[in-house]
Amino acid sequence: MRAVSPSSSAPTNRALVSAVRVEARRRFRSARGSHDWDHTARVLRLCLHIGKAERADLEILTLAALLHDIGRDEEDRTNGKIRHADASARLAREILSRLGLDAARSGRIVHCIEAHSFRKNLPPGSLEARVLFDADKLDSIGAVGI
């Protein structure tokens, strides 16, 4: 298994994904409505299904899917003044940095998260960002089990 970064203290990819999953899931304990942990799990499954077919970077996609809505609570608490995509991107950058992911890969993940929301008005600028955007919208319209 390859390391996430040249640093020997950086976690392996599997360990990184596991740590991010735990961190993300913890943030959904008080989630309400249609953007709970189940939504995240469905979006992740859709991302992996679409991403494999499109030959996307599945690690980038997995981490982006796990983290894409972790800032939703901030949007809810501020009645929409803080966009969840912005809050999620900020939190994701902090988490990924703390876990030792290099800035280049972290930036790719953060872009996916920033671009997944219509309210952000930022077009998805990578294959992985387009896949996350589509998977999130498919789940939002109720396309479960595709």
Side-chain angles (χ1 to χ4, degrees), residues 36-46:
D36 57 6
W37 179 253
D38 292 337
H39 163 72
T40 296
R42 289 188 306 269
V43 168
L44 174 58
R45 281 192 297 275
L46 282 167

Side-chain angles (χ1 to χ4, degrees), residues 2-113:
R2 64 189 158 88
V4 173
S5 73
S7 167
S8 60
S9 64
T12 61
N13 291 348
R14 186 175 297 174
L16 176 65
V17 169
S18 179
V20 166
R21 184 183 307 273
V22 167
E23 181 86 29
R25 190 166 191 160
R26 179 178 63 79
R27 294 176 183 273
F28 286 97
R29 287 189 185 134
S30 62
R32 60 189 174 112
S34 62
H35 288 89
D36 57 6
W37 179 253
D38 292 337
H39 163 72
T40 296
R42 289 188 306 269
V43 168
L44 174 58
R45 281 192 297 275
L46 282 167
C47 278
L48 293 176
H49 181 77
I50 297 166
K52 285 177 188 171
E54 295 295 328
R55 298 186 178 163
D57 183 323
L58 297 182
E59 181 184 77
I60 296 291
L61 212 41
T62 296
L63 295 170
L66 289 170
L67 296 167
H68 82 281
D69 274 347
I70 62 172
R72 178 104 13 213
D73 185 50
E74 287 188 36
E75 183 173 294
D76 292 344
R77 272 196 330 262
T78 64
N79 293 318
K81 290 180 184 163
I82 295 176
R83 294 181 188 138
H84 83 278
D86 295 333
S88 297
R90 178 182 44 77
L91 292 166
R93 183 175 276 115
E94 292 169 7
I95 291 166
L96 295 169
S97 175
R98 183 170 26 87
L99 293 173
L101 187 65
D102 64 272
R105 290 186 70 73
S106 179
R108 291 178 61 200
I109 294 162
V110 168
H111 170 71
C112 293
I113 295 167

Side-chain angles (χ1 to χ4, degrees), residues 107-139:
R108 291 178 61 200
I109 294 162
V110 168
H111 170 71
C112 293
I113 295 167
E114 289 174 328
H116 90 275
S117 172
F118 281 123
R119 285 188 63 202
K120 181 70 177 170
N121 199 26
L122 173 70
S126 69
L127 173 59
E128 292 77 17
R130 289 189 297 276
V131 170
L132 175 61
F133 183 91
D134 289 349
D136 187 56
K137 300 315 166 266
L138 283 169
D139 186 70

